[in-house]
Amino acid sequence: MQDVPTAEDLARRAAAGDRAALDRLLTELRPEVVRRCGRFLPCREDAEEAAQDVLLQVARHISAFEGRSRFSTWLYTVVANCCRQKYRELKRRAAEQPAAIEPAEHIDPRTTSVIAGSRIDLLEALDRLEREHPHLVAPLVYRDICQLEYAEVAERVGIPLGTLKSRLHEARKQVRPWLRGY
């Protein structure tokens, strides 16, 4: 029986230029990437668009994966950045569009549920946090949204564990009032 390569193995091979490994990696990652994007973006279509952006970024920048940290950690960064970028794009587009025709004719799924509302509020809070305290965003996203272990977040952000915990505490304290009711 032949060993099945892990995502880590495929990523290392793809980073070294193995095109077949990259194709297989992208195929295997897609469901997980869509699921992770769905944690950020409440509308399935938006999450799928962001997932396409993630896979495109992985394909374009896999050579930047050096293998010093786990591939999943590197991937979470790409997912978080692409989802936040997609949200900004959606927000900008919504601001540029004329007023809705009739609310009864077109119901936006992003505004019809408490869960969707809380995700939109979270993205708004992350945008605000980035404007006011940019150094607090990555720890909060990696730990509370991507659910990485503390040590992995500290390594990814490049700060000591104690500093990470302090920044997380501060980030949560900043964001909490903006998410009241959720």
Side-chain angles (χ1 to χ4, degrees):
M1 185 171 169
Q2 191 176 12
D3 287 333
V4 177
T6 65
E8 295 289 327
D9 297 331
L10 291 171
R12 282 191 183 87
R13 288 177 21 209
D18 183 336
R19 203 62 195 152
L22 177 61
D23 290 343
R24 185 167 174 188
L25 177 67
L26 294 173
T27 300
E28 290 182 11
L29 283 180
R30 189 176 192 298
E32 175 68 13
V33 168
V34 170
R35 188 178 68 74
R36 291 208 176 271
C37 288
R39 285 186 173 171
F40 284 91
L41 300 162
C43 180
R44 175 124 182 120
E45 291 80 14
D46 296 341
E48 288 176 354
E49 281 184 38
Q52 288 298 344
D53 293 343
V54 169
L55 295 173
L56 183 60
Q57 291 299 317
V58 169
R60 285 184 177 162
H61 302 289
I62 190 69
S63 61
F65 174 64
E66 298 172 348
R68 289 183 297 180
S69 63
R70 293 184 337 190
F71 173 71
S72 58
T73 303
W74 184 84
L75 180 64
Y76 291 145
T77 304
V78 178
V79 168
N81 290 338
C82 286
C83 287
R84 292 174 60 221
Q85 184 60 39
K86 175 56 71 181
Y87 174 69
R88 286 186 198 110
E89 178 187 316
L90 292 168
K91 191 172 150 182
R92 187 178 58 250
R93 248 191 276 154
E96 293 170 356
Q97 290 177 350
I101 300 167
E102 280 297 316
E105 290 178 25
H106 178 336
I107 297 172
D108 186 347
R110 288 171 279 190
T111 60
T112 58
S113 75
V114 173
I115 293 171
S118 66
R119 288 191 208 166
I120 294 297
D121 291 340
L122 175 61
L123 289 165
E124 282 291 333
L126 288 173
D127 252 7
R128 184 172 174 184
L129 186 64
E130 187 165 37
R131 285 190 307 273
E132 296 177 15
H133 306 282
H135 65 288
L136 300 178
V137 175
L140 186 68
V141 168
Y142 289 141
R143 178 67 191 134
D144 290 357
I145 298 172
C146 296
Q147 299 175 337
L148 298 179
E149 297 296 323
Y150 285 99
E152 197 171 354
V153 175
E155 176 189 333
R156 187 73 190 144
V157 178
I159 57 176
L161 189 58
T163 304
L164 169 74
K165 289 181 178 181
S166 173
R167 287 186 185 177
L168 266 173
H169 175 75
E170 183 62 24
R172 290 169 179 157
K173 187 171 90 176
Q174 292 292 324
V175 168
R176 195 171 292 121
W178 305 333
L179 298 176
R180 287 280 185 239
Y182 297 102

